Amino acid sequence: ILTDENFKQLDEFSFKIKLPIGVVPSPVALITHKAEIDEMYDGDSYYTAMSKLYNKAREWGPACWLGYNSIKFDEKFLRMGLYKSIYNQYITNTNGSTRADLLPLMHCVKMFSPNSLSFPLTDEGKPIFKLDRLAPSNNIPHEAHRSMGDVVATLELSKLVQERCSDLWTIAMQTTKKLDILQRADELV
């Protein structure tokens, strides 16, 4: 979902990649994602889907690409998919685009503004940062482990952080580009 700085939705993009014939889906993945086996072979080919995704990223850029645990997880799959399809695999952090991850920001929110959001707890009393637990804890409907469901939950949590922890949000958005961080560090020395 493409938004402006105030989270007004400007565009939305969704796609589905079909499983290649002869590939058997993981039963665990089917259960986790609540997927139907007969739907696994519907959708675009891998290359067609990557082409659509790449073209949409170019259309939306430059942008700040925000996700939940996306830099350590989703970004790796995205880059590999673009690489396999012979596209620029660094489209989310070149040509003026930047990346941000809400998960580490949620750690900061818990540490510096612990009462601004509701954090579910483990039986041992430790905060849970999983999106499928954090979103409902903050009254955000969440269709967990579905791509668009995770996107919407991330967007809604981001709105809450921007609204309730504006200083943390501002600092996080100012540190999405390595060169900006290095420049700020130099200014402080």
Side-chain angles (χ1 to χ4, degrees):
I1 295 177
L2 176 68
T3 72
D4 63 13
E5 295 84 15
N6 298 312
F7 298 107
K8 179 180 179 247
Q9 184 170 333
L10 304 174
D11 197 6
E12 183 175 314
F13 175 70
S14 186
F15 65 96
K16 183 177 179 191
I17 300 174
K18 65 181 172 185
L19 201 60
I21 300 296
V23 174
V24 178
S26 160
V28 174
L30 289 172
I31 292 168
T32 300
H33 298 285
K34 300 175 182 102
E36 297 293 329
I37 189 85
D38 56 337
E39 295 176 3
M40 296 283 87
Y41 301 99
D42 296 335
D44 291 326
S45 71
Y46 192 82
Y47 179 78
T48 299
M50 287 295 108
S51 296
K52 288 179 178 179
L53 179 60
Y54 179 77
N55 289 327
K56 185 56 74 170
R58 286 184 60 203
E59 177 188 323
W60 285 0
C64 177
W65 298 88
L66 174 72
Y68 200 90
N69 196 29
S70 57
I71 291 178
K72 289 188 175 183
F73 184 78
D74 303 275
E75 190 76 17
K76 293 176 182 182
F77 287 98
L78 172 63
R79 286 189 175 177
M80 184 54 68
L82 292 171
Y83 176 79
K84 286 180 181 180
S85 303
I86 315 174
Y87 286 111
N88 172 13
Q89 63 200 26
Y90 300 106
I91 195 162
T92 60
N93 68 331
T94 57
N95 299 321
S97 286
T98 60
R99 294 176 300 166
D101 198 322
L102 192 60
L103 176 59
L105 180 54
M106 296 310 287
H107 292 178
C108 292
V109 168
K110 180 63 179 159
M111 179 174 282
F112 297 112
S113 187
N115 298 321
S116 60
L117 293 175
S118 173
F119 290 88
L121 301 174
T122 65
D123 292 338
E124 294 81 29
K126 296 181 180 181
I128 298 172
F129 293 97
K130 291 184 176 186
L131 185 60
D132 63 348
R133 297 284 308 278
L134 193 55
S137 182
N138 286 281
N139 300 314
I140 297 170
H142 182 216
E143 193 176 351
H145 305 293
R146 306 291 289 183
S147 298
M148 194 55 75
D150 289 346
V151 168
V152 170
T154 299
L155 181 62
E156 294 302 319
L157 273 174
S158 298
K159 287 179 187 178
L160 289 179
V161 173
Q162 184 190 48
E163 177 186 307
R164 298 177 186 176
C165 310
S166 59
D167 290 345
L168 283 174
W169 180 261
T170 300
I171 291 167
M173 292 302 103
Q174 291 173 349
T175 58
T176 60
K177 199 157 118 187
K178 187 176 182 179
L179 289 175
D180 290 345
I181 296 169
L182 294 173
Q183 182 179 353
R184 288 191 73 181
D186 285 344
E187 290 170 1
L188 296 173
V189 176

